[in-house]
Structures are given as C-alpha cells and as structure tokens.
Amino acid sequence: MTAPRAGVTGRRYLALLGLVLLAACAPQTQTQIMPRPDGMVPIQLDFPPMRRFAAPSPRAPSRPNAQIARDFADLSFQLESGRPIPVFTRFEGPITVAFNGAAPAALAADLTALLARLRAEAGIDIRQIQGGDAAIRIELVPPRQLQRAAPGAACFVVPRVRDWAELRRNRQSPLIDWTTLQIREQAAVFIPQDATPQEMRDCLHEELAQALGPLNDLYHLPDSVFNDDNMHAVLTGFDMLILRLTYAPELRSGMTQAEVMALVPGLLARMNPAGAAGRGPVTAPTTRDWTGAVITALGGTATPALRRQAAARAVAIGQARGWTGTRQGFAQYVFGRLQIGTDPGLALGAFNAAAFAYGDDPDLRIHAAHVAAQQAAFALIARDPETILALTAPAITAARDHENAALLSILMMFRAEALDLQGQPEAAMALRLDSLGWGLYGFGDRDAVISRLNEIASLPRLPS
C-alpha cells in the first residue's frame, strides 16, 4: 500500500528505541536472570502486577508567551513536510471518541485518563462513546499493514476516514490531505496491535493531540510531544496549553494565520500570565538537511555505515550553526547509539556531549535521563557504582515525573547492579523487584522484561 503522504501525520518510529548495550541478550526465561557475570546463582523472580502511574503532574510551560506564540504558529500552520496549511482548523462543538473493535484493558484505561486530562487541562469538550458515529476513531492495526501505509511511522492519524478499510480505499485521494480541510469533522488514529502498553499510550497521546490540534513536529521544542525526538512520552504542560489555545472560543475554523495570530498574544496573556515577561530567543528554524540526516540515522533502509555517517553529519550541521539544547543533544545521542558496537569510546564521548547539551535545563530533564541510561552502562562496565548511583538518582525522578515506565525500569535495573557492586544485595534485590512491574508496562511481557535484565546483568566488567 502506498503511503498516503498528504494525510499521514504521526509519531515517527524511533529505530533506536530501547537500550543498545555491548553484550548480546542471554536466553529468555520468565523465572530467572541468566547468566550472572559475578558468579552468583541465577536469581529467581516473582513478578508483581503491572505498575501504572497515578495522577499526572505536568510542569507548567516556563518559556515566554512570545516564544510560545511563535511555536503555536509553526505547529498549527505547517505540516511536518514543510507544506503550509492555508487555514486554521479544529473540531467545532463537542467531540466524541471511540475504539474500532476491542481494545486492551491498559489502552482503554489510558484513553479514559487522557480524555479526563484534555477536559481538565485543555478545556476541550471531549468524551468517549461506545461505537456509534464518533468524530475520532482509534483502531489497532497489524504492524506490517501499518508500516506499508506509512514507512517509518510508529502510528499515525488521518483525516476524513473512520477505519482502516476506508483509508485503503482513499489512499490516493485528496480527501485525506490535511491542507484541504476547512473544518475537522472526522479522523482516525491507527496504532500497531503488537505494541507494548506504553507504546500504545504514547501513540494515543500524540496522535489524539494531532487529531485535535497541531499537525507539525518541531525538533527544537524542549517540552513537547510535538517533537520527533520522542523524548516526551505523554502530553506536557506546554502541549495542554497549545490545545487550550487551539480551542479558545475566540478562534474558529477557517481563520487565516494572520487572523489567528492577531488574537494569540491576548489569549496567552489570559491563559498563561506567568509567561508575560520577556520575549525569549528566536529559535533558528530546523533545516531540511539536518532533518534528513537525522531521519536517515534513525533507520529505514540505510546501511549501518550510512546511518553512522548521517548521524555525524547531523552533529556537524548543528555545530556549524551554533545550535544547542534539544537538537544538538539529540544528534549527539543518536550518534552515540550508533557507535556503541563500532567504537565504544566514541559512543561515550557522544553521550557525554549530549548530556552537556541538555545541561541542567529543567525542560530537558527527561532528555538527560535517556542519556544517563547509556552513561550508566559504561559506568557498570567500569565497575563504578558511585557514578551509576549519581547518574540514576535524578534520572529515575525524571522518568517517574514524565511517566516513562520503560526508562524508569531500565534505570532501576542499573541502580540495582550498582548496589550489588557495593555489597548491598538486599537493597539491590528490592529495587530490582520494583523495576519489574514498571517493566511490564514499558516492555509488554515477562520475557521482554527478563531480556532487559539479562542485557544489563551480562555486560562485561573490567577487572577490579
């Protein structure tokens, strides 16, 4: 099936997602970790129930309103491809959402929680119905079919269709072109049916948000799911502000960009009074050569060598243009991931550079936590438990605050290994057991969680 390029907007498949370590996985089992490099007997594990996050605690946007207004314009009046969107569109009136067919219990619960957030934080009149003619329909699709429709996308949303069959019938039609809309009346979100609970939830957050509002993704955003670096798993305080702005009663579908942006400063002053001070720096636009290099580096049909070259090119482009923060940190992170099996020293240098780029910016805590997981692997190989503990303490807090169960579980596993190295086996085991429930949500099943434990336990250790 040809990808319906004009209509698809979605969460990009991050081929580097998941921890890339320096040792192959040990055999999978549901009851033990094997092997233990320190000579310990295999550890028998009793899995707890799947863990889930409680009430969200999104951080309010900290950037000036003038900067947020510029981001709103870029998000709302341009597609990811760079094509302009001629008029402002949204759903008008109450919005209904439904699943096409049955949904896993975890996904159903995540939808309930997300709709409650959209009502409370974004002020959107939205509710779930069972079947019927819902405005937004969510369908789980076999992954091969989804990848044929939109190569490289983990999930996506399409306008003016209700289900997969209708998308197939209209795959060549301007009907599914977002730029032809004058108002939003129907959209469908497609999610791979084999995704983990966390992956389904992450898709749900981004694709439902794009069905409702912004259709673009901007690599420079530090505090948003509308960024193809996929560092944020769930809608942030910034995202909810953007959606609240999208559904302000003063705006309506069919308005031009000039008409909308004439009202946005006043709306932001009312919705986000804390952002009134200052204008903030004007962020240089992300150029197509950098984006193209990153997309090549992340996967697709490119060879490993070409991917490494593309990542190095993205780093060089950012350095030449003086970029810092999200874009340069992400380029270094991707470069480091691709160098692990080829040049570990170069990989560690890239991770350290990524950590420096992210710095102590509170908007980039989750980005730094992803890097910390990679740095912890090197510290474990070096038998340096103090560094692991120093890296994982703030990273665990960030992963928990940003509701990333997969990352939280991995960080706990590393911290448990550090405690073992310090001669604290009871504390290590307690933390390791705590990681399992989060791992079930993040990785999907016991075998996948055991695989992550095996990867970390099987890392080679330098002589002490």
Side-chain angles (χ1 to χ4, degrees), residues 360 365-366 368-377 379 384-402 404 407-419 422 431:
D360 296 324
R365 292 169 59 233
I366 190 61
H370 280 277
V371 176
Q374 300 296 333
Q375 293 172 308
D384 184 356
E386 289 76 19
T387 294
I388 297 171
L389 296 175
L391 286 167
T392 56
I396 284 173
T397 300
R400 196 183 302 273
D401 289 347
H402 289 81
N404 191 321
L407 179 60
L408 176 60
S409 179
I410 287 288
L411 291 165
M412 287 178 166
M413 293 174 190
F414 273 118
R415 194 169 180 85
E417 293 294 324
L419 293 171
Q422 287 190 330
L431 189 59

Side-chain angles (χ1 to χ4, degrees), residues 311 315 319 327-337 347 349-351 353-354 357:
V315 170
Q319 289 174 336
R327 291 176 291 192
Q328 194 61 0
F330 186 59
Q332 291 282 9
Y333 176 72
V334 172
F335 181 68
R337 295 293 294 268
F351 293 137

Side-chain angles (χ1 to χ4, degrees), residues 75-414:
L75 287 168
S76 302
F77 289 96
Q78 193 173 68
L79 295 176
E80 291 182 59
S81 64
R83 293 176 62 207
I85 298 173
V87 296
F88 177 78
T89 64
R90 69 182 187 188
F91 288 91
E92 301 291 346
I95 304 166
T96 53
V97 181
F99 286 109
N100 286 339
L107 181 60
D110 284 331
L111 177 61
T112 298
L114 176 56
L115 295 182
R117 283 193 64 193
L118 289 168
R119 290 190 293 268
E121 298 175 42
I124 298 175
D125 185 359
I126 187 168
R127 64 186 176 89
Q128 183 179 358
I129 62 174
Q130 300 301 318
D133 193 21
I136 302 174
R137 305 188 72 88
I138 303 162
E139 185 169 342
L140 303 183
V141 180
R144 287 186 180 180
Q145 292 184 31
L146 190 146
Q147 281 298 298
R148 285 198 298 270
C155 41
F156 57 85
V157 59
V158 182
R160 293 185 175 132
V161 301
R162 290 174 172 79
D163 55 31
W164 188 256
E166 195 169 350
L167 171 60
R168 287 177 60 87
R169 289 194 299 271
N170 292 282
R171 62 186 184 273
Q172 303 280 351
S173 169
L175 182 79
I176 61 171
D177 187 340
W178 289 101
T179 67
T180 66
L181 297 183
Q182 294 293 313
I183 186 174
R184 301 190 198 185
E185 297 176 309
Q186 187 73 51
V189 171
F190 300 108
I191 298 173
Q193 62 186 200
D194 68 341
T196 70
Q198 178 169 315
E199 289 166 348
M200 287 188 180
R201 181 209 60 187
D202 295 356
C203 282
L204 184 67
H205 274 244
E206 182 167 348
E207 303 316 319
L208 188 57
Q210 292 200 303
L212 293 168
L215 298 169
N216 199 2
D217 280 304
L218 302 172
Y219 272 109
H220 73 263
L221 292 179
D223 52 359
S224 176
V225 301
F226 301 121
N227 184 328
D228 271 337
D229 66 10
N230 289 351
M231 292 294 185
H232 286 280
V234 298
L235 291 172
T236 66
F238 169 86
D239 298 329
M240 287 296 182
L241 176 60
I242 291 295
L243 289 170
R244 180 175 286 275
L245 187 57
T246 300
Y247 284 84
E250 292 85 351
L251 304 183
R252 66 183 183 278
S253 295
M255 295 176 74
T256 66
Q257 181 172 348
E259 290 172 330
V260 169
M261 297 312 296
L263 298 173
V264 163
L267 295 174
L268 282 173
R270 183 185 76 213
M271 296 176 183
N272 188 43
R279 293 189 56 80
V282 177
T283 304
T286 303
T287 53
R288 302 304 296 178
D289 57 348
W290 186 92
T291 301
V294 168
I295 291 172
T296 300
L298 292 179
T301 59
T303 65
L306 288 176
R307 292 175 64 191
R308 290 192 295 271
Q309 292 170 16
R313 188 161 62 251
V315 170
I317 291 170
Q319 289 174 336
R321 291 176 181 150
W323 292 349
T324 58
T326 52
R327 291 176 291 192
Q328 194 61 0
F330 186 59
Q332 291 282 9
Y333 176 72
V334 172
F335 181 68
R337 295 293 294 268
L338 291 172
Q339 291 293 341
I340 286 176
T342 303
D343 188 334
L346 197 58
L348 179 58
F351 293 137
N352 291 339
F356 181 81
Y358 292 140
D360 296 324
D361 188 334
D363 284 332
L364 300 176
R365 292 169 59 233
I366 190 61
H367 305 67
H370 280 277
V371 176
Q374 300 296 333
Q375 293 172 308
F378 285 90
L380 181 57
I381 291 169
R383 302 180 69 91
D384 184 356
E386 289 76 19
T387 294
I388 297 171
L389 296 175
L391 286 167
T392 56
I396 284 173
T397 300
R400 196 183 302 273
D401 289 347
H402 289 81
E403 300 184 45
N404 191 321
L407 179 60
L408 176 60
S409 179
I410 287 288
L411 291 165
M412 287 178 166
M413 293 174 190
F414 273 118

